Amino acid sequence: MIWAKDQTHTGWGRVLSAKGEIARADDVRTLTANAPAVGNRRSYGDAALNGGGKAIDMTRLDRITAFDRETGLLTVQAGITLGELTRIFAPQGWLPAVMPGTGFATVGGAIAMDVHGKNHHRAGSFCQHVTSITLIQGDKTCEITPKTAAHWKATCGGLGQTGIIAQATLQLIPTKGDMMLVTEQRATDWDHHVALLDASDAPYSVGWIDATATGAALGRGIIEEGETCRGLRPTRRGTKKVPFNAPHWALSGPIVKAFNAAYYRRVPKSGRTVVRTVQDFFFPLDKIHDWNKLYGKRGFHQFQCVVPLDQSHALRDIMQIIASSGLASPLAVLKRMGPGLNGRNAGYMSFPMEGYTLAVDFPNRPAARRLIAHLESATLTAGGRLYLAKDALSTGTAIKSMYPDYPKWAREAAKADPDGALQTDMTRRLDLRISK
């Protein structure tokens, strides 16, 4: 590998950045675990940053190694994206079992963050559909499976700290086709929103929430329920690109409030059913390349928490604080998460847990950072946790309290990477590699 010096890279939120050496790996045989691996850098904060050090760009390792058309077992290199897998396999009747909100996430990144999707209530998290992982540890290669127990649990959602994820075998799920039948309906307030999510038995469900609505309208939004189908493909619309950093006023309070009101009313009171491509349903923002520039040069933060089912009132209080702050952007999502597949294959540091998860974007301002600190405290009090794929502001004390299996993860990471070569800016900021 050839190392390029003085390379500046950022997380998706563009608030935190790092400068160091980066090498693009194009052959698994050249990999040694002397630096952390990075993919398409869709984590928002510093999870994929290594300021002053080295990082290995895995995006050229994107080959499909094996596929069983009868069982749906797929072996791929870690740098291939979930969007590419969807493009290739949906027409053949298969889909990745779990997909996050962007198709630019790589398989390696999806394992390192144990991502979840709109079907967590049924399918659990990403790693619960991974059957084996090839890891580079030092100059050695090993294959781990769920039978590897502690090592497996430290790798799934483990921030890439147990070795470089080079390859994985995934269990795809069958799909009726490469289209989605989507039913949309309005949720008039918080209680209605939660009730609709609770009552949904659709394979995929998600709620967009108007984070600027207050009073009786607090929590209003739109529930989307989807299932795969075959059908006529809608007229293809090209992708768009945000060519420059938007000015600060582009997401000012009045503009966001007006946009949200119009977006809420785009769905008739009686609801509607539409057909979309799988890409439009799972990765709606991917149609706008570099949409993170809409937040301007200062970037943005995304706060995402999950709280237990019996703490929905606490999440309502969090929503009240957000709505009253006047700081929220149009992007706010509420989902109900299930118990997972009885905990099988989920990792020590996996974010998903049974409950309700709320994600809201905030432009990077001092008031927003203070607000997020307050929301973090409320989440901890409610027995919830923050999503490390989105975090850029939390403290190690809070995170360690939120993840009770953290000491187990730290011990396994220390065994696999005793010299700390795979540490990132996030693990250092949160002091995660210390087990006590």
Side-chain angles (χ1 to χ4, degrees):
M1 293 186 294
I2 300 175
W3 295 90
K5 297 182 178 179
D6 298 331
Q7 300 297 301
T8 299
H9 49 295
T10 74
W12 186 244
R14 302 176 73 215
V15 173
L16 302 178
S17 63
K19 191 172 185 179
E21 294 184 64
I22 296 181
R24 274 191 172 181
D26 53 15
D27 189 332
V28 173
R29 293 171 296 183
T30 66
L31 287 174
T32 57
N34 59 359
V38 300
N40 274 323
R41 303 180 187 90
R42 253 45 186 192
S43 290
Y44 286 50
D46 49 0
L49 305 184
N50 188 24
K54 294 182 176 180
I56 301 173
D57 185 326
M58 301 288 288
T59 53
R60 282 183 179 169
L61 296 175
D62 59 354
R63 298 175 180 84
I64 295 171
T65 312
F67 178 58
D68 187 325
R69 297 179 185 277
E70 298 299 320
T71 66
L73 272 178
L74 171 71
T75 301
V76 294
Q77 293 181 332
I80 198 167
T81 66
L82 298 182
E84 183 68 355
L85 294 182
T86 301
R87 184 189 68 80
I88 294 170
F89 290 102
Q92 300 183 46
W94 296 97
L95 277 176
V98 171
M99 288 186 281
T102 174
F104 290 110
T106 62
V107 166
I111 292 171
M113 289 300 174
D114 197 10
V115 299
H116 59 279
K118 298 172 181 176
N119 59 346
H120 186 270
H121 57 294
R122 286 198 174 190
S125 60
F126 188 85
C127 289
Q128 292 181 299
H129 304 271
V130 179
T131 61
S132 70
I133 299 170
T134 301
L135 285 174
I136 309 295
Q137 295 175 323
D139 56 358
K140 299 179 181 177
T141 300
C142 69
E143 182 172 310
I144 63 172
T145 71
K147 294 181 179 179
T148 319
H151 201 167
W152 180 266
K153 285 180 171 291
T155 300
C156 296
L159 306 173
Q161 297 297 295
T162 61
I164 290 180
I165 300 166
Q167 181 169 284
T169 298
L170 319 176
Q171 177 62 66
L172 304 187
I173 58 172
T175 175
K176 296 176 185 175
D178 58 354
M179 306 296 292
M180 298 293 298
L181 189 66
V182 183
T183 299
E184 299 175 305
Q185 57 182 319
R186 289 186 185 180
T188 55
D189 57 30
W190 178 265
D191 290 341
H192 189 208
H193 209 135
V194 171
L196 289 174
L197 288 173
D198 288 347
S200 176
D201 61 357
Y204 300 93
S205 63
V206 62
W208 169 81
I209 198 164
D210 180 355
T212 65
T214 58
L218 179 74
R220 74 177 181 180
I222 296 170
I223 302 290
E224 286 187 355
E225 297 174 291
E227 60 179 309
T228 60
C229 69
R230 296 182 186 275
L232 293 175
R233 179 175 288 270
T235 302
R236 184 177 177 82
R237 297 178 181 177
T239 57
K240 298 179 180 179
K241 182 180 178 66
V242 178
F244 51 79
N245 292 304
H248 297 158
W249 53 263
L251 288 175
S252 63
I255 289 177
V256 172
K257 195 173 185 66
F259 175 87
N260 281 7
Y263 192 80
Y264 174 70
R265 294 188 176 89
R266 74 182 176 84
V267 172
K269 288 183 178 179
S270 57
R272 67 180 182 182
T273 298
V274 296
V275 174
R276 296 178 187 163
T277 65
V278 290
Q279 288 85 358
D280 285 350
F281 179 75
F282 291 112
F283 318 127
L285 288 177
D286 286 357
K287 292 182 292 186
I288 308 173
H289 290 311
D290 297 335
W291 63 262
N292 52 354
K293 291 183 179 178
L294 290 171
Y295 292 90
K297 292 181 179 178
R298 292 184 294 187
F300 71 106
H301 295 282
Q302 184 174 104
F303 169 81
Q304 183 166 3
C305 70
V306 59
V307 301
L309 289 178
D310 62 1
Q311 292 295 313
S312 64
H313 63 285
L315 197 58
R316 185 188 185 283
D317 292 343
I318 287 175
M319 192 67 243
Q320 175 72 63
I321 294 169
I322 293 170
S324 301
S325 73
L327 295 170
S329 75
L331 201 158
V333 174
L334 179 66
K335 291 196 291 270
R336 176 169 173 154
M337 305 181 89
L341 305 182
N342 298 319
R344 177 168 60 85
N345 295 11
Y348 293 139
M349 297 294 284
S350 291
F351 167 75
M353 59 183 272
E354 188 171 22
Y356 302 99
T357 180
L358 174 67
V360 185
D361 282 359
F362 299 99
N364 178 31
R365 301 170 186 166
R369 295 194 290 272
R370 290 192 294 272
L371 172 66
I372 291 172
H374 185 43
L375 302 178
E376 174 188 303
S377 178
T379 300
L380 186 59
T381 301
R385 59 177 60 151
L386 302 185
Y387 192 11
L388 291 176
K390 308 294 180 64
D391 178 63
L393 295 171
S394 189
T395 65
T397 301
I399 293 299
K400 292 169 187 175
S401 298
M402 292 173 178
Y403 287 85
D405 287 330
Y406 154 73
K408 298 177 183 175
W409 170 83
R411 285 194 291 272
E412 288 299 318
K415 289 180 190 174
D417 178 39
D419 296 329
L422 303 180
Q423 288 226 53
T424 63
D425 287 358
M426 170 172 273
T427 63
R428 286 187 288 268
R429 172 172 60 87
L430 298 176
D431 196 23
L432 289 182
R433 290 291 298 271
I434 305 299
S435 60
K436 295 182 179 178

